[in-house]
Amino acid sequence: MKKNIPILIIALLFACTLQAQKTFINRDPKGYFPKIMINNVNTKLFHRMNGSVKLWLYWNEVPKSTGYMDGRTHYKMTVYNSDAIANRTFEFDYTIYGGSFSGKPTYCTLIATFVYKDKRPTKKVTEYFDLQKNP
C-alpha cells in the first residue's frame, strides 16, 4: 500500500494541471466577446468596451463534463444574468481532445441570447473560440 502513495500523489498532481486555467480567444478578432477564462472554480466572460477588453460577467461555476467519447471530453454549462436592460442566457460548450498526440485543438462555442426588457427584438449571438496556447 505504501508503494502506491507516490503514484497516487503524481496522479493527483497531473489531474490538477489538467484543470488549470483555460483561456479561450475568439476566432473573430472583432467578435463581441473576445475572451473566456475558465479555471477550477469560476468562469469569466470578457467583452469589448470603448476599444478595450474588460471583464464583464463572472460566475462561480464551471462547465461540467458531459462524457468522454471518441477520444474527446465534452463540457457544458448554461448560466443566466439579468439586469434592468435584459435577461441573458449563456451556453458554454467546449471539447478537449485526449492524448498528447491527437493534434486536435481544443475549441469552445458560446451561444448568448439577449431578451431585452424594452421593445428591442431578442438577439442571439454565436461565437467560436480556440484555446490559447501557453508560451
Side-chain angles (χ1 to χ4, degrees):
M1 179 66 180
K2 290 183 180 182
K3 292 180 181 182
N4 293 336
I5 291 175
I7 294 171
L8 179 62
I9 291 172
I10 291 170
L12 286 173
L13 289 173
F14 181 71
C16 289
T17 60
L18 287 177
Q19 295 299 321
Q21 179 171 301
K22 293 169 190 61
T23 301
F24 293 95
I25 303 297
N26 197 327
R27 290 179 182 171
D28 178 4
K30 295 182 180 182
Y32 191 73
F33 305 109
K35 180 169 62 170
I36 300 169
M37 294 175 73
I38 301 170
N39 66 25
N40 291 338
V41 294
N42 58 49
T43 302
K44 298 174 185 175
L45 180 64
F46 293 78
H47 77 119
R48 294 189 193 288
M49 178 184 279
N50 300 326
S52 63
V53 175
K54 305 247 182 193
L55 175 62
W56 184 38
L57 296 171
Y58 177 96
W59 297 278
N60 285 324
E61 58 184 295
V62 295
K64 304 286 187 259
S65 175
T66 60
Y68 179 83
M69 55 193 208
D70 300 332
R72 302 177 286 184
T73 305
H74 301 277
Y75 295 85
K76 290 187 179 204
M77 175 176 77
T78 301
V79 289
Y80 305 94
N81 174 270
S82 182
D83 60 19
I85 298 170
N87 294 322
R88 300 174 188 90
T89 303
F90 299 92
E91 300 172 53
F92 296 88
D93 183 3
Y94 73 92
T95 301
I96 295 180
Y97 286 84
S100 59
F101 302 106
S102 68
K104 303 271 186 172
T106 295
Y107 61 89
C108 180
T109 303
L110 170 63
I111 300 172
T113 305
F114 301 89
V115 179
Y116 293 100
K117 295 183 179 178
D118 55 17
K119 294 184 179 185
R120 288 180 279 181
T122 297
K123 178 176 162 182
K124 191 170 193 175
V125 176
T126 302
E127 297 200 348
Y128 303 94
F129 301 79
D130 289 319
L131 183 64
Q132 181 179 21
K133 303 285 186 214
N134 292 331

